[in-house]
Amino acid sequence: MNQFVTPNAKTVTAINPATGDVLGEALHTPEDQYASIFQRARQAQKVWAKQSFAQRRTHLVKMRNYIRDHAEELARLVSDSNGKTRMDALITEVLPCQLACDWYGKHAAKVLAPERRGPSSLIWMGKRSEVRHEPLGVVGIISPWNYPLSIPFGEILMGLMAGNAIVLKVAAATPLVGKAIEDIIAAGELPSGLFSHIIGSGGQVSTAMFEHGIDKLFFTGSVPTGKQIMAQAAQTLTPVSLELGGKDPMIVLEDADLERAANGAAWAGYQNAGQSCGGVERIYVHESVYDRFVTLLADRTRALRHGVPNDECDVDIGSMTTANQRLTVEKQLAEALEAGATIVAQSEGPVHGPGHFHAATLVTGIDHGMTLMREETFGPILPVMPFRTEDEAVELANDSPMALTASIWTRDTRYGKKLANRINGGVVAINDHLYTHAMSDVPWGGPGDSGIGRTHGPEGLKEMSKLKVVNWDWLRARRNLWWYPQDKASYAAIRSALYLVAPRTVLDFLRSAIRVLPTMIRKMYF
């Protein structure tokens, strides 16, 4: 079974992807309410923007405390809606939301504070500037089903602290998580209309957002859909931030701690049934330790407890979230096997039945001609390749248009940092993988097909604002040197000013100043 929205449906049905059980239903937002939603958002935003950062923070504290008091309830809902384990839901969804409330509440004022800038040259000695970060207005957020709570909620907080109103659209596969976000926001006691959650088809809602003039759209999802969103946004020149996934490489050098590397690969490759845009999708291991690493990872793979998530937390991997994604994974694996790949190890679990289960699978004998190594798999498959030289490892790692994250495994951290300079990626971790999305203080995103823009950290807060420069002159002159009327004296003064900017010698600078100052004083004050 799978969650879906039909074009004329009045409700969307939420299904537990691990059991097929109906979790509940959520009503579609009537289209005739869209206009009022955006109108109320604009009205509320004007009031909200006048509040200080300290005042905004008090609302985030209330949300943080709600999350703390309802952590198990939220983790269970996310687990049941998405198929991930209770532990996964708690550590990768609920906890990051609480941490985000704290960090953005404390740091937004400093990050978005006006910045004073002095003159960049003697030419502008009377000018002063202030760079301001002003609210965008109404921000649209369209979020995915793989992290249905933490991805949208972090962006909601960034938008609110920057002074914006928020209109949210969550994935059709996890509508009840969207309702849970409504409850968290309600606990924050925001002004009426400042936050709205629209339930409906993705294309319908994105079109409505552009038609009603949102000021920026934050989208997380697939590369093809992201390109469609960007083309749609171009019609109204609406700025977008796109996080579109990754084909993330893991490089294991010959001096790596193989125990840690194998444990890290199992976590970052199989967690959330492999449905993490920042998870390990490709592993490259130095040939001298390749066999040992494969043996260790095979042991970890077979030992995984695969099944229906429960409150006992005795399952390591749950189900995939949608039937379509499971079919994509099965197709990629089948093509690789037909082309000569070999399954080394798999987890045991309920691969038959109503749930969308796919075994955690370790694969060798692969190459870059296979779809498994070129397109995002987004499932619990770990392909491993050996390499001989560092240059070869770098070339293989960079052989993808998606460059969201990567990791390097070595006992020499200094060398790992140096090697990171050669890896194309938004995040390159040393001896770890798949955790920085939970760190509110560092930016998230990557180049190429991984998207445009950044969320999280100071950079994410600034993405939620628009720049304005306020400039003034403290000299209080009657006119500037270059204003009318123009004459040969003012032309000669401007020509001499070039030597103030780039003098050949100190004497050259002084001569230029003597030529410029009399004309400047006469022209500006008399």
Side-chain angles (χ1 to χ4, degrees):
M1 299 180 71
N2 192 20
Q3 298 87 342
F4 63 92
V5 178
T6 56
N8 299 316
K10 298 295 183 181
T11 62
V12 56
T13 302
I15 307 294
N16 184 325
T19 65
D21 295 337
V22 174
L23 299 174
E25 292 184 337
L27 290 174
H28 275 203
T29 306
E31 290 185 61
D32 59 10
Q33 292 183 11
Y34 287 0
S36 64
I37 286 173
F38 288 99
Q39 183 180 12
R40 291 175 62 233
R42 292 215 173 273
Q43 293 171 347
Q45 189 273 330
K46 292 177 182 178
V47 176
W48 179 251
K50 295 177 182 178
Q51 290 198 8
S52 68
F53 288 107
Q55 289 173 317
R56 296 173 197 167
R57 183 190 176 199
T58 61
H59 298 276
L60 267 65
V61 170
K62 294 176 182 178
M63 296 181 206
R64 181 198 67 189
N65 293 343
Y66 178 93
I67 294 169
R68 176 198 63 204
D69 297 339
H70 296 80
E72 290 189 34
E73 173 188 333
L74 291 168
R76 185 177 297 109
L77 176 62
V78 170
S79 174
D80 289 345
S81 298
N82 162 275
K84 65 181 64 178
T85 67
R86 301 288 197 267
M87 181 64 173
D88 273 2
L90 187 66
I91 191 65
T92 69
E93 301 252 34
V94 179
L95 179 60
C97 289
Q98 188 177 25
L99 294 173
C101 287
D102 193 54
W103 196 86
Y104 293 118
K106 289 180 179 177
H107 295 276
K110 181 179 180 181
V111 171
L112 299 177
E115 177 190 349
R116 285 289 185 95
R117 296 187 185 178
S120 58
S121 167
L122 285 174
I123 300 298
W124 313 117
M125 65 179 182
K127 305 297 184 182
R128 296 294 182 270
S129 299
E130 184 175 86
V131 180
R132 299 177 181 177
H133 299 277
E134 296 189 339
L136 291 165
V138 178
V139 170
I141 297 173
I142 299 179
S143 62
W145 44 256
N146 61 324
Y147 289 88
L149 179 62
S150 61
I151 286 179
F153 191 71
E155 293 177 347
I156 290 168
L157 297 181
M158 286 181 275
L160 290 175
M161 285 305 298
N164 301 298
I166 305 294
V167 178
L168 170 68
K169 158 71 175 74
V170 303
T174 54
L176 298 188
V177 179
K179 301 297 287 186
I181 292 174
E182 290 184 35
D183 293 337
I184 298 172
I185 299 297
E189 299 178 345
L190 297 175
S192 177
L194 189 67
F195 169 84
S196 294
H197 171 214
I198 295 180
I199 300 175
S201 71
Q204 180 187 62
V205 176
S206 65
T207 298
M209 288 181 173
F210 292 125
E211 287 179 347
H212 289 281
I214 59 166
D215 296 287
K216 189 168 186 177
L217 176 63
F218 286 74
F219 171 80
T220 304
S222 69
V223 174
T225 304
K227 290 180 178 180
Q228 293 174 9
I229 290 284
M230 191 169 181
Q232 198 174 12
Q235 302 305 310
T236 52
L237 291 180
T238 303
V240 294
S241 175
L242 307 175
E243 198 273 89
L244 306 179
K247 191 66 182 172
D248 305 20
M250 171 179 177
I251 300 174
V252 182
L253 301 180
E254 58 185 321
D255 71 331
D257 180 338
L258 297 185
E259 289 278 349
R260 179 174 178 82
N263 290 333
W267 156 256
Y270 299 139
Q271 181 270 339
N272 197 24
Q275 300 170 127
S276 297
C277 51
V280 171
E281 289 242 344
R282 303 173 285 151
I283 305 178
Y284 304 103
V285 185
H286 191 272
E287 61 181 6
S288 65
V289 295
Y290 175 79
D291 290 338
R292 174 60 178 158
F293 175 84
V294 170
T295 298
L296 290 171
L297 186 51
D299 291 341
R300 298 331 185 251
T301 302
R302 296 188 192 98
L304 291 170
R305 299 167 297 175
H306 197 166
V308 177
N310 56 66
D311 292 338
E312 300 303 317
C313 297
D314 57 3
V315 171
D316 298 313
I317 303 179
S319 73
M320 300 190 69
T321 307
T322 72
N324 286 339
Q325 190 57 42
R326 185 190 67 190
L327 292 174
T328 296
V329 174
E330 291 174 350
K331 182 179 178 181
Q332 285 193 13
L333 180 59
E335 290 177 352
L337 295 176
E338 186 176 353
T342 301
I343 293 177
V344 177
Q346 287 185 304
S347 62
E348 294 184 6
V351 293
H352 302 290
H356 304 315
F357 290 96
H358 192 291
T361 304
L362 176 62
V363 183
T364 59
I366 43 87
D367 60 60
H368 275 220
M370 299 175 180
T371 305
L372 184 65
M373 296 296 283
R374 304 203 65 81
E375 296 181 7
E376 190 172 29
T377 303
F378 221 59
I381 310 293
L382 282 179
V384 187
M385 279 183 68
F387 69 85
R388 286 190 292 178
T389 67
E390 178 186 299
D391 288 343
E392 182 185 4
V394 170
E395 183 178 356
L396 290 168
N398 290 341
D399 185 26
S400 173
M402 289 176 283
L404 185 58
T405 77
S407 61
I408 298 167
W409 301 73
T410 173
R411 295 180 190 272
D412 188 343
T413 303
R414 180 178 298 180
Y415 182 75
K417 291 179 180 179
K418 181 179 179 181
L419 182 59
N421 293 332
R422 303 180 62 191
I423 303 300
N424 188 26
V427 176
V428 180
I430 312 297
N431 295 323
D432 211 334
H433 203 119
L434 191 58
Y435 66 96
T436 58
H437 188 271
M439 301 173 69
S440 300
D441 58 317
V442 295
W444 179 259
D449 281 0
S450 285
I452 294 172
R454 294 294 187 270
T455 60
H456 297 194
E459 294 77 8
L461 282 167
K462 290 178 180 179
E463 290 264 6
M464 287 286 183
S465 65
K466 58 186 177 185
L467 288 178
K468 174 184 285 185
V469 174
V470 177
N471 181 274
W472 63 93
D473 193 311
W474 59 271
L475 290 178
R476 301 179 185 274
R478 295 178 61 190
R479 62 176 68 86
N480 288 330
L481 178 59
W482 51 90
W483 285 3
Y484 301 127
Q486 297 177 350
D487 53 32
K488 286 187 176 181
S490 59
Y491 178 88
I494 294 293
R495 183 69 181 87
S496 296
L498 298 177
Y499 291 90
L500 289 177
V501 176
R504 297 187 184 94
T505 64
V506 174
L507 183 60
D508 199 23
F509 176 84
L510 294 174
R511 287 173 177 168
S512 301
I514 292 172
R515 295 190 186 109
V516 170
L517 288 175
T519 302
M520 185 172 68
I521 293 171
R522 174 183 60 80
K523 183 71 178 286
M524 295 175 67
Y525 291 98
F526 299 98

